[in-house]
Amino acid sequence: MITRFKSKKALSSTDILTNSHIRLMVLLIIFCFGIAGVIAKLVWLVFITGWGVEERRHPPVAPLQARADIVDRNGRTLARTIDVWSIGIHPRTLQANHISDPDILAANLAALLPERTADEYRKILRSNRSFVFLRRHASPELVRALNMLGEPAIDFLHEPSRLYPEGTLCAHVIGWIGEDGHGQSGMEFSFDKELTDPKRQSEPLALSIDIRVQAAVEKSLAAAMQKYSAEGASAIVLDVDTGEVLAMASLPNFNPNDRSSSDPTAFDNKATLSVYELGSTFKPLTMATALQDGVVTSLAKRYDATEPLAVGRFHIHDEHAQKRWLDVPETLVHSSNIVTARIADELGPERMQAMFRNLNFDHRPAIELAAKGRPIWPAYWARTTVMTTGYGHGIAVTPLHLTSAYAALVNGGVWRPATLLKRNPDYRPDGSRQIISGQNSATMRRLLRLVVTDGTGRKANAPGFRVGGKTGTADKAEKGRYNHGARISTFAAAFPMDTPRYAIVAMLDNPQGIAETGGYATAGMVTAPMVGDIVQHIGPLLGVIPDPKRDLDLTDLRALLWKPAAKKE
């Protein structure tokens, strides 16, 4: 039996070619759909979610300009630019990927970055924001921990940052830079152009500050502020010949590496920005003016201090009333308001104003910093104004004003503007002027030394360092009136008085008396001891070796001091 199979009709070459074209077209269409899908996804990511575009248009990190270092006078680094890690997240990318659970991720972020709560992180992750910083200047350990989460929306950025190795030390002088890479305060602001100049990148900005002296000053200042529960404090150490500032401290302080954790009030530099009535520290300035202008022709000249001085309906009193006639040394030793007011009255408004103007008390302090307070200058110089400004009431200046003034009192009589830049030993700045003669400057050195050896400044008498100075305690001026329950306690000094090299002014804002001081918070009790402590610490650092055998001869001045008659037995 023969079985027949029905044969299929053989395909022609034309049919085969047609079928191949159809298959290729199908593949091409599928490929085109795939490409279209990819393009659609990219379009959706770029134009709908903004992924990758906003970051390019608006980089989350503004790259810092190259910036020179800041160093102290001995070359120790105070500010330097380094590379650090910063961490951010792209919420839109997170939502587009649908990979991570925002609730779980928020909990993980809260555990690693506790500055925000899980709810706050959840709001960020569910927001429509393109990029959010999670932590600037992150530690390598934190970067490693966050990287272990495996979340592609978390971004790790390597960015330049300004580092301040000394932390809070000298913060008000150095300042800081903003996220735009430009200085915002301190010398970072004042010398922003010079620090970012490409031609000067290899040359650090050398400050006059000696960080060793700065550390000693801040330590003593902080201890006194805590001990006497003061609201604030300030201190300055100044080279009397060049005007260089060796230390400038203001408390409370802040850390320029972490400003967000600091009290906003800590950013004010009390040494240059805040103005105060500095009380009896003005008395030597008045006395120097009287010597220079011939109002006081002899240190033995005596003035009536037997009773309070009546001026119209006002009465000027002495805190430590002697109730007798006082000569010039006794006036400063006992800090007599009455006698100083009489001398100021003899000087008159023109000569008093002229001296204060010579000391720059009518202008902001002379220094490179931008944060400089304007003195409170009397609008009208009545007779009472002249008298009270003579002992530091009715006129307000910064601690730096007073430091420069005391430098002029002891350095031979030359006022010089202060500077925060390192200078040569023979540097003499423009604007210097002779305000009193060398002879009168020598007299003032002896009188200031006498105040420390025999007067209200005894607690500043650092053995062998020949400190001279003057106390000043004034009621604190607040809201246009005096707060008799608050005070500014200041001690202005210089050392060593036989060959003066450094002026120091230290101030405590509203200190409180303690049992050790008998409840008193006057400058002689709380600020003078602090200056004595500072001198003993910084003197050897600055090459001033204590020498108990070397001192000014005060025999003739002590002979003028009144001594009570011996009691008969």
Side-chain angles (χ1 to χ4, degrees), residues 32 38 56 101 115 125 131 145 147-148 166 178 201 311 314 332 335 408 410 412 430 456 492 519 545 565:
C32 288
V38 172
R56 289 193 294 272
D101 184 334
E115 55 264 37
L125 299 179
F131 181 88
N147 198 31
M148 291 295 290
E166 300 297 338
Q201 290 305 304
V311 185
F314 298 101
L332 294 180
S335 197
V410 302
D430 294 337
T456 57
I545 307 302

Side-chain angles (χ1 to χ4, degrees), residues 48-106:
I48 304 303
T49 69
W51 176 81
V53 174
E54 191 165 335
E55 283 74 23
R56 289 193 294 272
R57 291 178 181 170
H58 308 285
V61 181
L64 293 184
Q65 294 177 282
R67 196 173 186 88
D69 291 352
I70 298 177
V71 299
D72 84 335
R73 66 185 303 105
N74 300 311
R76 187 162 171 177
T77 302
L78 302 178
R80 172 169 290 172
T81 302
I82 61 170
D83 285 336
V84 297
W85 286 105
S86 286
I87 305 166
I89 194 164
H90 300 268
R92 291 183 187 176
T93 303
L94 177 72
Q95 296 173 42
N97 290 334
H98 301 290
I99 296 175
S100 300
D101 184 334
D103 293 332
I104 296 175
L105 181 57

Side-chain angles (χ1 to χ4, degrees), residues 357-380:
R357 292 185 194 280
N358 277 335
L359 294 171
N360 204 45
F361 285 2
D362 59 333
H363 289 87
R364 298 181 190 272
I367 196 75
E368 290 86 358
L369 298 176
K372 297 184 288 191
R374 183 182 296 278
I376 298 177
W377 184 267
Y380 175 66

Side-chain angles (χ1 to χ4, degrees), residues 6-17:
K6 188 178 180 180
S7 61
K8 293 182 179 180
K9 185 179 179 180
L11 295 174
S12 67
S13 59
T14 302
D15 293 333
I16 293 172
L17 185 61

Side-chain angles (χ1 to χ4, degrees), residues 287-507:
M287 198 65 72
T289 307
L291 288 169
Q292 185 68 22
D293 288 345
V295 170
V296 172
T297 56
S298 169
L299 298 183
K301 185 176 180 180
R302 302 174 73 216
Y303 297 84
D304 185 5
T306 55
E307 295 179 351
L309 177 60
V311 185
R313 59 189 180 90
F314 298 101
H315 287 80
I316 296 174
H317 300 262
D318 279 348
E319 186 69 24
H320 308 285
Q322 300 300 301
K323 298 182 179 180
R324 57 186 178 81
W325 288 65
L326 303 176
D327 55 36
V328 171
E330 288 178 317
T331 297
L332 294 180
V333 164
H334 299 295
S335 197
S336 173
N337 294 337
I338 297 171
V339 174
T340 306
R342 291 187 184 280
I343 293 173
D345 193 29
E346 287 188 49
L347 281 166
E350 289 77 17
R351 287 187 288 192
M352 285 293 291
Q353 288 184 70
M355 173 57 81
F356 289 153
R357 292 185 194 280
N358 277 335
L359 294 171
N360 204 45
F361 285 2
D362 59 333
H363 289 87
R364 298 181 190 272
I367 196 75
E368 290 86 358
L369 298 176
K372 297 184 288 191
R374 183 182 296 278
I376 298 177
W377 184 267
Y380 175 66
W381 286 76
R383 184 186 178 203
T384 53
T385 307
V386 175
M387 289 181 166
T388 58
T389 56
Y391 55 87
H393 290 265
I395 184 171
V397 298
T398 68
L400 181 58
H401 278 107
L402 188 65
T403 314
S404 295
Y406 267 69
L409 282 185
V410 302
N411 70 2
V414 180
W415 180 89
R416 296 186 177 97
T419 180
L420 280 165
L421 296 177
K422 183 180 180 181
R423 304 295 190 180
N424 295 323
D426 57 350
Y427 170 74
R428 296 296 179 267
D430 294 337
S432 300
R433 48 184 175 265
Q434 191 84 33
I435 60 166
I436 59 173
S437 67
Q439 180 179 352
N440 286 331
S441 176
T443 299
M444 293 310 304
R445 291 199 293 269
R446 298 172 67 230
L447 288 170
L448 291 171
R449 177 65 180 143
L450 187 69
V451 172
V452 172
T453 59
D454 296 62
T456 57
R458 288 187 183 91
K459 291 184 180 295
N461 194 19
F465 286 101
R466 292 93 72 195
V467 178
K470 183 68 185 74
T471 54
T473 307
D475 289 337
K476 190 173 179 180
E478 295 177 331
K479 298 179 181 180
R481 62 177 58 188
Y482 290 106
N483 180 354
H484 298 297
R487 64 201 59 79
I488 299 295
S489 297
T490 309
F491 191 76
F495 77 101
M497 293 306 281
D498 50 333
T499 53
R501 291 180 59 188
Y502 304 103
I504 303 177
V505 166
M507 180 273 298

